[in-house]
């Protein structure tokens, strides 16, 4: 039986999946609470995650959404699984902030989308492993 | 634009042709009414901007007339005239909403015209605002009755947003905005507790509960908001840093009793940061002890309210900051010259109206240019800031301190006559003289020259007041600086000390311990302090307990010492003071100072030693010694 070794997922895949997911989350949450407030929440999440993953501050947050372009640039110096972990943590942190703000009211609205994205990520991970 | 109408009520006013002529020259339409009833019937027919009425009319008193007018039109302004003005009558009139209350006959027609013009402008603005409001209301009614807006909730939401928008333009204070918004929130959300934190000049927290709640629940709500605010803004606050306002006055609803019984657990909440201009300026939270109290729609609406509220608060803060910037000098934080002129206008007007005294002192830092030139502008700025602080701390709250020019300050002293102003100025001069300013690298001693004048018969208006104080300042400068000069009516400018003005004041017991310099002075130090004069005079003032003894009740020492003896003498003085402090049971202490004895300074006898002065500097030394121990 061939030995299964862990292979790094290409960074562009990670960035693409999380860019889509963050965009989706942004649209849904911004509909509920507005871009200005969401910008504050996202910046709070970035600040908190940056303690463990300093490169996450390369994410650009505006009232219109999140851009991962700079993160893609500087993420080349990082193992892609670390970038993935950082982005996963960012979303977890955002969710915990949203939960702290309104219990499960906002989270409920987001749950289906997040599950969908998790499935896609799992597929990519599976394909990346031999 | 149509000319504004002014209505004169009462025979005194209507028969005053100079007033009628002056009003017509200003472009006003003038109506007259001998009695209040005639005036009221005219007001029914014509929109009147300003009513000038006598305090006592044949058929009604002026206040009743004002109340009748206010019932008819909120915009019309009334100025009341009294031939026998009292502060109490003025207070009553102004409290009732009368625009102003003046003595009749008016001393200055030009000032009266200015006042009437301002009142007429306010009338015009209010009328315009009313038209705009009517237009907005008409549009709102149209929206509310459209098929899309029939839902009750949408109407309430619209009301809240309208209330907040109105606050945005009204620019009132933060509590006012919150009250306006909160009055609507209880109709929209099923919350038990509303907590709002606002970072303003101080950090304030407003806690509104619907009915009586479990204190543990209220605590949980407050803690929750503090945690989230700290997370959003990065500024954690402790309770001690907050000014917390609790209110339990929200309208009762059927929910209130169920909240009280629901327990202490925080089961539902919505919390939003208050974000404006990219900054988090606070936090707002709705909380409930009931599970699932808020829906996604609640979150959506509440976010919009939070955003609007933040903008309204920010607007007020910016407006207030702009107002402050417009009237204050950025370096010293004192009022600027322009605002000082406005206050001077107001105080002159007030002084004339009530026959009160008003003094002006213009303070100039001596040789300030040298501080800038030798120590640099940062040191100069620090001296200006510290001087400002000293001036502000040395006057009453009602006094106005302003930065008048580069190194000039102006002190406006209401209800203060020339003599009192001179005493204050002399105290300031001594305080400055006894103070060392500490800059980053240097210790600087700066003295002041002060020119003082007061309103009076030959100083009738603000222009003359400024001119006379300026003249006095110029003389103080010419006479060698570090001096207070005053403009004395009919006598011209005089030195304060020539008039023998002295202050009788109480000193705290602790102030008896003057900051003394005990070490004997070297020849060099002596000359630096006293110049090359070999003659010295010792002048003094006596204290018994905390009280300064009246002049004449103690012996004034006048010693002439040679330089050779000065060192020894000063050492002796210091030693005596030292022994005095060790013998607190002695009845009298005398404060004294050594000054160069010249023909000029010899005149300044019986000068008061300010025992609250700090340190030793300048050309005068302060010492204390035991009366009778020197001879």
């Amino acid at each position: 039986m061939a030995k299964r070794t862990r292979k790094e997922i290409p960074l562009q895949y990670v960035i693409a999946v999380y860019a889509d997911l963050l965009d989706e989350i942004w649209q849904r949450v911004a509909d509920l609470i507005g871009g200005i407030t969401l910008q504050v929440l996202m910046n709070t999440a970035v600040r908190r995650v940056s303690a463990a993953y300093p490169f996450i501050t390369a994410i650009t947050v505006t009232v219109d959404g999140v851009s991962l372009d700079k993160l893609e640039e500087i993420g080349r110096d990082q193992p892609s699984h670390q970038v993935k972990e950082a982005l996963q943590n960012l979303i977890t942190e955002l969710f915990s902030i949203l939960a702290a703000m309104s219990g499960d009211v906002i989270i409920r609205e987001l749950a289906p989308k997040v599950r969908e994205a998790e499935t896609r990520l799992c597929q990519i991970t599976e394909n990346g492993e031999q | 634009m149509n000319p504004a109408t002014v209505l004169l009520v009462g025979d005194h006013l209507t028969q005053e042709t100079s007033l009628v002529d002056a009003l017509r020259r200003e472009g006003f339409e003038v109506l007259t009414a001998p009695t209040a009833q005639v005036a009221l019937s005219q007001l029914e027919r014509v929109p009147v901007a300003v009513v000038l009425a006598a305090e006592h009319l044949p058929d009604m008193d002026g206040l009743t007339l004002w109340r009748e007018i206010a019932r008819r039109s909120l915009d019309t302004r009334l100025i009341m005239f009294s031939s026998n003005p009292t502060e109490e009558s003025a207070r009553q009139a102004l409290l009732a909403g009368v625009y102003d209350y003046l003595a009749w006959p008016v001393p200055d027609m030009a000032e009266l015209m200015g006042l009437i013009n301002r009142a007429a402008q306010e009338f015009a603005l209010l009328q315009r605002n009313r038209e705009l409001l009517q237009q907005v209301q008409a549009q709102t009614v149209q929206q509310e009755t459209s098929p899309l807006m029939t839902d009750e909730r949408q109407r309430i939401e619209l009301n809240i947003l309208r209330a907040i928008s109105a606050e945005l333009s009204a620019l009132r204070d933060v509590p006012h905005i919150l009250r306006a918004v909160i009055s609507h929130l209880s109709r929209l959300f099923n919350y038990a507790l509303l907590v709002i934190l606002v970072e303003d000049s101080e950090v304030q927290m407003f806690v509104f509960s619907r009915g009586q709640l479990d204190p543990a629940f209220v605590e949980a709500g407050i803690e929750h908001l503090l945690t989230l605010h700290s997370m959003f803004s990065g500024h954690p606050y402790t309770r001690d840093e907050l000014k917390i306002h609790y209110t339990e006055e929200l309208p009762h609803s059927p929910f209130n009793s169920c909240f009280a019984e629901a327990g202490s657990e925080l089961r539902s909440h919505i919390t939003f940061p208050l974000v404006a201009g990219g900054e988090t300026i606070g936090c707002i939270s709705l909380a409930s002890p009931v599970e699932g109290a808020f829906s996604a729609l609640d979150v959506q609406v509440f976010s919009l309210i939070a955003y609007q509220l933040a903008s309204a608060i920010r607007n007020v803060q910016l407006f207030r900051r702009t107002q402050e910037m417009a009237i204050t000098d950025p370096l010293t934080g004192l009022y600027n010259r322009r605002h000082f002129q406005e206050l001077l206008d107001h105080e002159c007007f007030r002084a004339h109206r009530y026959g009160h005294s008003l003094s002006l002192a213009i303070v100039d830092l001596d040789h300030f240019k040298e501080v800038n030139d030798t120590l640099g502008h940062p040191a100069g700025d620090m001296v200006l800031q510290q001087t400002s602080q000293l001036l502000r701390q040395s006057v009453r709250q009602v006094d106005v301190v302003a930065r008048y020019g580069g190194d000039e300050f102006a002190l406006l002293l209401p209800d203060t006559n020339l003599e009192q102003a001179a005493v204050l100025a002399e105290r300031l001069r001594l305080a400055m003289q006894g103070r060392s300013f500490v800059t980053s690298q240097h210790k600087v001693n700066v003295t002041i020259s002060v020119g003082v004048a007061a309103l009076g018969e030959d100083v009738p208006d603000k222009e003359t007041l400024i001119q006379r104080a300026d003249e006095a300042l110029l003389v103080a400068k010419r006479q060698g600086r570090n001096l207070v000069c005053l403009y004395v009516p009919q006598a011209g400018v005089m030195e304060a000390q020539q008039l023998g003005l002295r202050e009788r004041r109480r000193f705290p017991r602790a102030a008896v311990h003057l900051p003394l310099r005990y070490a004997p002075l070297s020849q060099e130090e002596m000359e630096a302090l006293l110049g090359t004069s070999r003659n010295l005079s010792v002048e003094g003032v006596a204290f018994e307990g905390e009280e300064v003894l009246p002049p004449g009740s103690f012996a004034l020492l006048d010693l002439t010492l040679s330089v050779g003896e000065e060192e020894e003498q000063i050492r002796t003085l210091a030693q005596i003071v030292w022994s005095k402090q060790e013998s607190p049971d002695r009845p009298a202490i005398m404060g004294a100072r050594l000054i160069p004895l010249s023909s000029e300074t010899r005149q300044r006898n019986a000068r008061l030693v300010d025992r609250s002065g700090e340190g030793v500097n300048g050309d005068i030394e302060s010492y204390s010694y035991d009366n009778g121990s020197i001879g």
Side-chain angles (χ1 to χ4, degrees):
Chain A
M1 202 171 111
K3 191 181 174 188
R4 284 171 69 92
T5 55
R6 189 187 172 88
K7 194 177 167 188
E8 283 284 298
I9 311 164
L11 180 68
Q12 66 267 32
Y13 286 167
V14 174
I15 296 288
V17 169
Y18 276 94
D20 276 357
L21 178 58
L22 284 168
D23 191 46
E24 192 68 41
I25 291 172
W26 188 277
Q27 297 307 330
R28 291 197 170 227
V29 180
D31 274 355
L32 280 174
I33 66 172
I36 290 172
T37 307
L38 185 51
Q39 187 186 12
V40 172
L41 306 190
M42 189 61 91
N43 278 328
T44 304
V46 168
R47 197 176 63 234
R48 288 161 76 95
V49 172
S50 69
Y53 305 93
F55 57 83
I56 199 81
T57 53
I59 286 183
T60 313
V61 185
T62 66
V63 286
D64 299 319
V66 177
S67 163
L68 302 187
D69 293 350
K70 276 191 188 160
L71 181 66
E72 190 170 6
E73 268 176 46
I74 68 156
R76 290 191 190 112
D77 303 333
Q78 312 286 333
S80 67
H81 74 270
Q82 276 214 4
V83 176
K84 184 178 152 243
E85 274 170 28
L87 288 166
Q88 264 175 341
N89 273 291
L90 180 70
I91 290 172
T92 308
E93 196 59 50
L94 180 65
F95 275 46
S96 82
I97 293 170
L98 291 172
M101 275 176 65
S102 64
D104 63 351
V105 179
I106 302 175
I107 307 294
R108 270 202 311 263
E109 300 284 308
L110 296 172
K113 262 293 146 195
V114 175
R115 271 199 297 275
E116 192 183 304
E118 276 170 352
T119 314
R120 280 176 62 201
L121 275 170
C122 282
Q123 284 167 355
I124 291 170
T125 313
E126 288 296 316
N127 294 339
E129 288 178 351
Q130 290 181 340
Chain B
M1 203 170 124
N2 291 329
T5 304
V6 177
L7 172 61
L8 308 183
V9 192
D11 286 341
H12 288 317
L13 299 171
T14 54
Q15 288 164 13
E16 185 64 46
T17 49
S18 64
L19 174 62
V20 176
D21 291 345
L23 285 167
R24 289 200 172 120
R25 274 199 304 277
E26 290 285 321
F28 290 112
E29 193 79 53
V30 181
L31 298 177
T32 57
T35 63
Q37 287 303 343
V38 176
L40 289 171
S41 65
Q42 281 182 324
L43 279 157
E44 298 285 348
R45 294 193 301 271
V46 187
V48 173
V50 187
V51 176
L52 307 182
E55 187 180 25
H56 301 291
L57 296 163
D59 53 344
M60 199 182 280
D61 68 72
L63 264 185
T64 313
L65 170 64
W66 162 239
R67 290 192 182 105
E68 288 296 321
I69 292 171
R71 277 202 309 129
R72 289 164 169 80
S73 160
L74 287 170
D75 301 341
T76 300
R77 319 274 91 177
L78 183 138
I79 299 171
M80 193 179 285
F81 296 90
S82 172
S83 49
N84 185 22
T86 63
E87 283 215 36
E88 181 51 28
S89 309
R91 200 178 71 83
Q92 292 290 345
L94 295 172
L95 277 176
V98 164
Y99 190 72
D100 215 333
Y101 178 94
L102 304 175
W104 182 264
V106 284
D108 189 332
M109 192 59 82
E111 281 187 27
L112 176 62
M113 286 302 132
L115 184 70
I116 295 169
N117 268 312
R118 278 199 298 280
Q121 278 165 13
E122 270 188 34
F123 173 82
L125 273 173
L126 287 166
Q127 293 270 300
R128 201 162 147 249
N129 279 353
R130 211 167 289 287
E131 281 166 24
L132 285 171
L133 194 65
Q134 279 164 0
Q135 283 172 17
V136 171
Q137 278 170 344
Q139 284 169 5
T140 311
V141 168
Q142 202 180 356
Q143 279 181 352
E144 283 181 348
T145 50
S146 71
L148 290 173
M149 298 296 290
T150 50
D151 182 70
E152 173 66 13
R153 181 176 177 118
Q154 280 177 319
R155 266 209 299 275
I156 297 170
E157 287 165 14
L158 191 70
N159 274 335
I160 293 178
L161 294 178
R162 190 197 294 142
I164 299 174
S165 304
E167 288 304 323
L168 267 168
S169 54
L171 295 167
R172 283 184 279 205
D173 58 0
V174 172
H176 206 106
I177 295 173
L178 296 181
R179 273 198 298 277
V181 174
I182 287 156
S183 61
H184 296 281
L185 286 183
S186 58
R187 294 166 60 203
L188 204 53
F189 303 108
N190 186 15
Y191 67 89
L193 182 74
L194 167 63
V195 188
I196 305 171
L197 183 141
V198 179
E199 288 178 345
D200 206 356
S201 47
E202 52 191 349
V203 187
Q204 303 202 65
M205 180 181 267
F206 301 86
V207 181
F208 300 89
S209 62
R210 293 174 85 175
Q212 274 204 333
L213 300 174
D214 188 321
F217 171 75
V218 176
E219 279 303 298
I222 292 173
E223 275 307 315
H224 176 72
L225 179 116
L226 285 175
T227 308
L228 283 190
H229 182 265
S230 159
M231 190 165 78
F232 296 140
S233 68
H235 309 305
Y237 291 114
T238 62
R239 296 289 180 96
D240 294 343
E241 294 171 278
L242 303 173
K243 193 173 176 188
I244 305 182
H245 313 267
Y246 291 94
T247 310
E248 238 182 70
E249 292 172 351
L250 286 170
H252 288 267
S253 79
F255 292 116
N256 291 1
S257 58
C258 93
F259 288 140
E261 290 156 15
S264 61
E265 204 179 323
L266 183 66
R267 290 198 174 88
S268 308
H269 56 86
I270 322 177
T271 307
F272 274 97
L274 295 172
V275 185
E279 277 179 55
T280 303
I281 59 167
C283 227
I284 182 167
S285 181
L286 299 178
S288 171
V290 177
E291 196 77 51
F294 307 110
S295 66
L297 183 60
D298 285 335
V299 169
Q300 205 167 12
V301 175
F302 192 54
S303 72
L304 192 59
I305 290 167
Y307 179 64
Q308 290 284 321
L309 184 61
S311 303
I313 293 171
R314 184 61 162 187
N315 235 20
V316 169
Q317 290 173 337
L318 290 176
F319 180 68
R320 201 174 50 206
R321 210 171 297 163
T322 313
Q323 273 188 320
E324 281 166 9
M325 280 165 66
I327 63 170
T328 52
D329 165 55
L331 178 69
T332 59
L334 298 178
Y335 288 132
N336 59 22
R337 186 180 181 131
R338 195 177 60 79
H339 189 58
F340 174 77
Q341 294 283 358
E342 285 172 10
L343 293 172
L344 183 58
D345 271 338
H346 173 77
E347 288 299 339
C348 282
F349 192 75
R350 204 176 145 266
H352 280 306
R353 183 161 60 184
Y354 297 116
H356 289 174
S357 48
L358 176 70
S359 294
L360 171 68
I362 301 182
V363 177
D364 188 276
L365 297 183
D366 297 331
H367 304 295
F368 181 68
K369 191 176 175 303
E370 286 168 29
V371 176
N372 272 337
D373 290 349
T374 54
L375 304 177
H377 284 89
D381 286 352
M382 207 166 283
V383 169
L384 288 172
Q385 285 168 332
Q386 292 182 20
T387 304
S388 310
Q389 218 172 357
L390 187 141
L391 294 177
R392 211 162 20 193
Q393 286 164 355
S394 306
V395 298
R396 302 164 302 173
Q397 210 148 21
V398 292
D399 298 330
V400 175
V401 186
R403 187 170 176 203
Y404 198 59
D407 58 345
E408 273 190 352
F409 299 89
L411 274 68
L412 187 58
L413 310 165
D415 301 327
T416 306
N417 63 28
L418 185 64
E419 189 175 333
Q420 292 163 329
V423 169
L424 168 73
E426 183 63 7
R427 193 168 75 216
L428 289 173
R429 186 188 70 76
L430 289 168
M432 280 294 285
Q433 179 184 269
R435 170 152 185 181
S436 291
F437 293 101
V438 183
T439 69
S440 54
Q441 289 175 328
H442 306 92
K443 225 170 156 184
V444 190
N445 295 322
V446 181
T447 57
I448 54 170
S449 301
V450 190
V452 185
L455 274 187
E457 272 180 28
D458 56 350
V459 186
D461 50 38
K462 72 162 193 174
E463 286 78 15
T464 322
L465 182 66
I466 295 172
Q467 195 187 328
R468 296 302 186 213
D470 257 337
E471 282 170 21
L473 175 64
L474 205 63
V475 173
K477 290 282 203 192
R478 283 204 197 119
Q479 301 261 351
R481 297 182 169 87
N482 190 19
L483 206 60
V484 173
C485 284
L486 25 151
Y487 177 81
V488 181
Q490 279 135 25
V493 176
M494 297 178 79
E495 277 185 45
Q497 287 149 7
Q498 280 179 314
L499 296 169
L501 294 173
R502 54 174 61 92
E503 185 180 20
R504 187 174 163 79
R505 52 180 281 209
R506 294 182 72 81
F507 291 92
R509 196 168 284 279
V512 167
H513 302 284
L514 274 175
L516 293 170
R517 185 169 167 179
Y518 297 110
L521 300 176
S522 67
Q523 174 81 26
E524 213 173 291
E525 284 176 310
M526 178 65 72
E527 284 185 4
L529 280 171
L530 305 173
T532 50
S533 166
R534 298 201 160 212
N535 294 324
L536 290 173
S537 162
V538 179
E539 297 177 338
V541 62
F543 297 84
E544 186 154 26
E546 295 172 353
E547 197 69 23
V548 181
L549 296 177
S553 68
F554 64 97
L556 187 69
L557 296 173
D558 192 350
L559 303 178
T560 303
L561 308 164
S562 72
V563 172
E565 291 163 341
E566 281 163 6
E567 274 192 47
E568 187 57 33
Q569 194 61 40
I570 288 165
R571 191 185 302 121
T572 308
L573 288 174
Q575 283 163 355
I576 291 166
V577 171
W578 191 251
S579 73
K580 175 65 197 164
Q581 286 177 336
E582 287 173 347
S583 315
D585 54 340
R586 302 285 284 273
I589 299 170
M590 181 172 278
R593 76 174 96 201
L594 300 179
I595 61 166
L597 188 67
S598 64
S599 56
E600 184 192 323
T601 52
R602 196 183 269 283
Q603 297 295 319
R604 306 178 193 164
N605 56 0
R607 197 193 296 208
L608 185 72
V609 175
D610 189 345
R611 309 211 83 186
S612 59
E614 289 175 19
V616 173
N617 84 315
D619 58 356
I620 294 177
E621 278 281 14
S622 294
Y623 291 92
S624 293
Y625 57 89
D626 191 359
N627 193 9
S629 296
I630 302 171

